[in-house]
Amino acid sequence: MSDTTQPRTSADHGYVLDAQIGFLLRKAYQRNSTIFLDLVPGKLTTTQFSIMHRLAEDGPMSQNLLGRSVAMDGATTKGVVDRLIARELLVTRRDPKDRRRHLVSLTPKGVALINEAVEAAIRVTEETLAPLREREKETLLRLLAKIS
């Protein structure tokens, strides 16, 4: 028996990395993230932007509901919220209807930033999808929504 073993290749098993959904999604996400970091002000990450945008759209809510509304687990949501609080973009206060719960909301500084960031995020989407024709953009977004 040989001391060295050789890995199986695409020719052996038919798995072509460059044609896999996970690989292609990661590359597309990397493209989008790079454009996002270049265009969106305030050094916001995509997750921070999502949290702030949801609060801007829906108003104050519990951290638990906030995380669920943007498809983040509790630990990730807590970390993002804590970092945004430290930057004075978010604040928490007791829920007047349920003293056991805290509500997360935007600060005036957070409102100003998200208002500016949304305009940039619109450009991010346009630039990310720029290589596609209009119908391709619609199809891609429809199919991604279907599998998510």
Side-chain angles (χ1 to χ4, degrees):
M1 190 188 281
S2 170
D3 287 7
T4 58
T5 57
Q6 295 296 315
R8 293 174 53 217
T9 66
S10 297
D12 299 322
H13 51 61
Y15 185 93
V16 178
L17 181 63
D18 295 317
Q20 302 307 309
I21 182 69
F23 184 76
L24 293 169
L25 285 172
R26 185 177 58 77
K27 284 178 63 177
Y29 181 73
Q30 286 174 329
R31 172 180 162 72
N32 178 259
S33 294
T34 299
I35 296 166
F36 187 93
L37 290 172
D38 287 344
L39 296 181
V40 174
K43 297 183 180 180
L44 290 175
T45 65
T46 56
T47 54
Q48 290 171 338
F49 175 86
S50 295
I51 291 282
M52 292 179 67
H53 187 271
R54 182 66 70 206
L55 290 169
E57 289 288 310
D58 298 342
M61 66 183 76
S62 72
Q63 188 168 291
N64 185 292
L65 177 59
L66 178 58
R68 287 194 323 261
S69 76
V70 293
M72 284 184 217
D73 63 75
T76 302
T77 303
K78 180 176 178 2
V80 172
V81 167
D82 287 349
R83 285 186 287 284
L84 292 171
I85 288 172
R87 293 180 59 189
E88 300 178 347
L89 298 171
L90 299 183
V91 66
T92 60
R93 63 176 171 81
R94 284 202 186 279
D95 184 342
K97 296 176 185 169
D98 182 349
R99 306 288 295 162
R100 297 168 295 173
R101 186 170 55 179
H102 286 81
L103 298 176
V104 181
S105 61
L106 293 164
T107 64
K109 182 178 172 183
V111 170
L113 179 56
I114 196 61
N115 286 344
E116 186 180 354
V118 167
E119 294 303 318
I122 292 167
R123 290 192 311 277
V124 170
T125 298
E126 291 168 353
E127 192 169 324
T128 299
L129 297 175
L132 304 176
R133 292 186 303 258
E134 198 59 39
R135 184 157 176 147
E136 290 173 324
K137 293 174 191 179
E138 293 167 8
T139 300
L140 175 63
L141 295 173
R142 181 177 47 78
L143 292 173
L144 287 173
K146 191 172 184 175
I147 66 171
S148 61

